[in-house]
């Protein structure tokens, strides 16, 4: 009795891979271009927000640090998201009592002219509140 020769199970796949493969030349590294893009596009736009964030951390009471996030800074207007109505009300009262003027003076070089407060979350709320994932949401 004659037993026919059988190919290894992956022989057909190796043959198809060899026949269908298209070897493209290696391109230039992307790293230097990304660093240049970051320095010219991203870093320039966000230096003012960095200055404002430093002033915000120094002037605004620490109890608000877990409950608010600086969302954006556009044309002299800082937008801040606050996760609860109670903290929104308290921060608004502090800003009206003179905190806004202090921030404007401290951030004069960045051109801060107005502060908008919005109710919202920048994290996914979980049942235990321990694992907060970054995500901007509007209420």
């Amino acid at each position: 009795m004659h037993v026919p020769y059988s190919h290894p199970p992956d022989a057909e796949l190796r043959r198809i891979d060899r026949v269908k493969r298209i070897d493209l030349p290696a391109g230039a590294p992307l790293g230097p271009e990304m660093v240049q893009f970051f320095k010219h596009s991203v870093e320039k736009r966000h230096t003012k927000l960095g200055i404002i964030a430093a002033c915000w951390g120094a002037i605004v009471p620490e109890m608000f640090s877990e409950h608010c996030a600086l969302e954006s800074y556009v044309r002299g207007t800082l937008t801040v998201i606050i996760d609860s109505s109670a903290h929104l009300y308290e921060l608004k009262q502090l800003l009206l009592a003179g905190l806004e003027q202090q921030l404007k003076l401290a951030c004069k070089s960045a051109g801060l002219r107005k502060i908008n407060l919005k109710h919202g979350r920048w994290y996914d709320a979980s049942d235990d509140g321990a694992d907060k994932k970054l995500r901007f949401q509007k209420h």
Side-chain angles (χ1 to χ4, degrees):
M1 177 172 194
H2 184 278
V3 177
Y5 174 75
S6 67
H7 295 284
D10 63 342
E12 184 67 20
L13 290 175
R14 279 189 273 145
R15 186 189 70 76
I16 292 172
D17 178 56
R18 182 178 38 88
V19 171
K20 300 282 184 176
R21 177 177 302 217
I22 299 173
D23 291 325
L24 300 173
L30 192 58
E33 291 176 13
M34 290 301 293
V35 170
Q36 182 181 10
F37 168 77
F38 178 79
K39 286 185 178 182
H40 290 291
S41 298
V42 178
E43 191 175 45
K44 280 185 179 180
R45 292 180 190 165
H46 295 290
T47 53
K48 290 182 179 180
L49 186 58
I51 293 167
I52 293 171
C55 293
W56 181 273
I59 295 173
V60 175
E62 194 173 320
M63 65 182 248
F64 292 104
S65 64
E66 291 183 11
H67 301 283
C68 63
L70 305 181
E71 180 186 36
S72 65
Y73 177 70
V74 179
R75 296 186 191 122
T77 302
L78 175 67
T79 304
V80 181
I81 296 178
I82 297 140
D83 67 352
S84 72
S85 297
H87 288 101
L88 176 69
Y89 176 78
E90 288 180 30
L91 187 56
K92 183 68 172 176
Q93 294 304 312
L94 282 174
L95 289 174
L96 291 173
L99 190 65
E100 186 170 5
Q101 282 304 113
Q102 288 180 354
L103 283 166
K104 286 179 183 178
L105 287 173
C107 301
K108 196 171 190 175
S109 65
L112 180 64
R113 290 181 284 146
K114 184 178 177 184
I115 300 173
N116 284 339
L117 302 178
K118 291 189 330 184
H119 184 255
R121 280 199 323 251
W122 59 95
Y123 56 86
D124 286 335
S126 60
D127 295 336
D128 59 359
D131 186 27
K132 294 182 178 180
K133 295 179 183 176
L134 184 65
R135 177 179 294 165
F136 287 95
Q137 300 174 347
K138 293 181 182 177
H139 285 268

